Amino acid sequence: MIRKVVTRAPHREVGIVNPGWLLDHGVEHESHLEKCFIMVALSCPVVVDIVHQPVQIWLGPDKTQKYTPDFKIKFRDGDSVIIEVKPKVFVAKNADRWKAAERYFRAEGQKFQVITDEQIDANGLSARAMLLMRYGR
């Protein structure tokens, strides 16, 4: 973990998802959307681990822009992907930053993907994942 995630914030939901029956550690989140993503990812049988804020990198032509992705998802086959979770309305605004991050991670042999609320909520996916998590407890 790069920086402390769970701190009081009056304008957003922060917390920890503790899926003790799936992982041996909690996964911190900084928004309701990130929490929904964690639950959706945990409901996928090929996901074996989720790490919050796995790395901090420097972007930009002069390497002065700090960037910390939200999660690293590890799969049963040993593969992994770095994930940024954002509402779709912010995708265009941050497109250059995420293209730079994708280039950086590709050079490091990692995959990078931006996941939006549209994908997380598609076809009631997050609602079904939350129901599974409730039964898992």
Side-chain angles (χ1 to χ4, degrees):
M1 177 175 64
I2 298 304
R3 60 186 166 91
K4 185 73 174 154
V5 174
V6 180
T7 57
R8 289 183 173 263
H11 61 285
R12 64 180 181 196
E13 177 184 334
V14 296
I16 300 174
V17 176
N18 286 305
W21 60 95
L22 295 171
L23 301 176
D24 63 354
H25 59 87
V27 183
E28 297 180 16
H29 60 86
E30 292 183 307
S31 68
H32 180 72
L33 186 59
E34 286 184 10
K35 180 180 179 180
C36 289
F37 171 78
I38 293 167
M39 292 184 179
V40 167
L42 289 172
S43 68
C44 183
V46 297
V47 171
V48 295
D49 197 12
I50 301 175
V51 179
H52 57 273
Q53 298 186 342
V55 67
Q56 187 175 72
I57 62 174
W58 296 93
L59 299 175
D62 52 1
K63 304 286 186 211
T64 58
Q65 301 173 21
K66 245 193 279 192
Y67 172 65
T68 305
D70 294 321
F71 302 103
K72 181 175 185 175
I73 305 294
K74 297 178 185 176
F75 300 102
R76 182 170 282 135
D77 66 359
D79 203 6
S80 64
V81 62
I82 304 292
I83 300 288
E84 178 67 36
V85 176
K86 279 288 186 265
K88 188 174 181 186
V89 296
F90 296 118
V91 170
K93 176 182 173 185
N94 293 293
D96 291 339
R97 177 182 224 186
W98 292 328
K99 285 178 188 173
E102 184 177 13
R103 282 191 301 272
Y104 174 89
F105 287 117
R106 190 179 321 122
E108 296 290 315
Q110 279 285 324
K111 296 174 186 163
F112 175 80
Q113 188 171 1
V114 177
I115 303 290
T116 67
D117 52 337
E118 200 171 74
Q119 294 164 296
I120 293 168
D121 294 331
N123 299 320
L125 185 59
S126 65
R128 290 194 315 269
M130 286 187 184
L131 185 62
L132 283 172
M133 291 293 286
R134 189 172 345 157
Y135 286 122
R137 286 188 210 133

